[in-house]
Amino acid sequence: LFEDPNWDEIRSLENLTLFRHPGSLAFDIYKSSIEIYKSPLTVFEYLNNPNNISRWGKRLKKLEVKQEASGARLMYLQLRSEGTMEDRELLMVEKGFEEMGNYYIVGSSIEEDVPVAAYHIRAKMLLHGFKVTSLGHNRCRVEYLIELDTCGAAPKDSKEKIEQV
């Protein structure tokens, strides 16, 4: 999916580019791509540590790593919503690994019988993934994919804003 030629570029700012691709069901997949002047391993180690709060963006309210085993982790997140939408929460699993010289972090929501927090709606992370690729000379490209079902009532423009953050 990272290499699929059917991505539509929707925004470009300096060295950051945002793309959209038709996803499963009624949800688009978004991809961002940025070049960073750091080694790929340094960037991967930063992204693969869920406690680096800035990785999650300004909407993160709460993050708990519930369990870790064999490089995979089960996480619970709460995210602030804009306007009149209720805040969302996610229960997801992710794993980081190296393959053919690239670094990846992939994840998705899981179905668990865990009660939803008061005043929150359980969203579904259909797809989430980072790819870190070396560009040589202590530079790398970081690509991020996200396909998110916000669940519940969400106006189309609000859903797109959440996905793009």
Side-chain angles (χ1 to χ4, degrees):
L1 192 56
F2 280 105
E3 309 306 327
D4 189 318
N6 297 317
W7 287 99
D8 293 325
E9 184 176 321
I10 57 176
R11 190 181 316 159
S12 186
L13 306 164
E14 294 182 29
N15 66 339
L16 172 68
T17 309
L18 185 63
F19 302 88
R20 180 182 305 170
H21 188 288
S24 63
L25 308 170
F27 307 100
D28 287 337
I29 302 170
Y30 289 88
K31 175 173 89 167
S32 59
S33 178
I34 189 168
E35 291 185 16
I36 298 176
Y37 286 90
K38 294 196 181 289
S39 77
L41 181 59
T42 299
V43 172
F44 171 74
E45 288 173 343
Y46 175 83
L47 292 172
N48 200 35
N49 180 348
N51 296 314
N52 288 324
I53 301 300
S54 62
R55 167 194 163 177
W56 300 102
K58 62 184 178 184
R59 296 188 193 277
L60 181 68
K61 269 177 47 175
K62 180 179 183 178
L63 167 70
E64 292 179 21
V65 176
K66 297 286 195 181
Q67 203 171 17
E68 286 189 78
S70 302
R73 61 189 147 261
L74 172 64
M75 299 179 298
Y76 171 80
L77 295 91
Q78 289 182 352
L79 305 169
R80 286 182 197 81
S81 294
E82 285 187 345
T84 59
M85 286 178 45
E86 290 181 296
D87 290 347
R88 298 308 199 248
E89 67 175 23
L90 293 164
L91 187 60
M92 60 181 282
V93 172
E94 75 171 15
K95 180 175 176 105
F97 59 95
E98 185 268 335
E99 184 176 279
M100 295 177 57
N102 296 313
Y103 296 96
Y104 298 90
I105 301 168
V106 295
S108 68
S109 287
I110 61 168
E111 297 292 325
E112 281 291 318
D113 191 20
V114 176
V116 176
Y119 309 108
H120 287 75
I121 293 176
R122 175 79 43 89
K124 293 179 185 170
M125 183 72 73
L126 303 171
L127 168 70
H128 133 94
F130 290 95
K131 178 182 179 185
V132 182
T133 307
S134 176
L135 299 175
H137 306 319
N138 214 28
R139 284 181 39 225
C140 64
R141 174 178 293 114
V142 178
E143 295 173 282
Y144 178 66
L145 299 179
I146 183 169
E147 183 179 16
L148 177 68
D149 178 354
T150 56
C151 297
K156 183 171 174 50
D157 63 331
S158 294
K159 181 176 116 23
E160 288 180 358
K161 284 181 184 175
I162 290 169
E163 289 173 328
Q164 291 178 21
V165 172

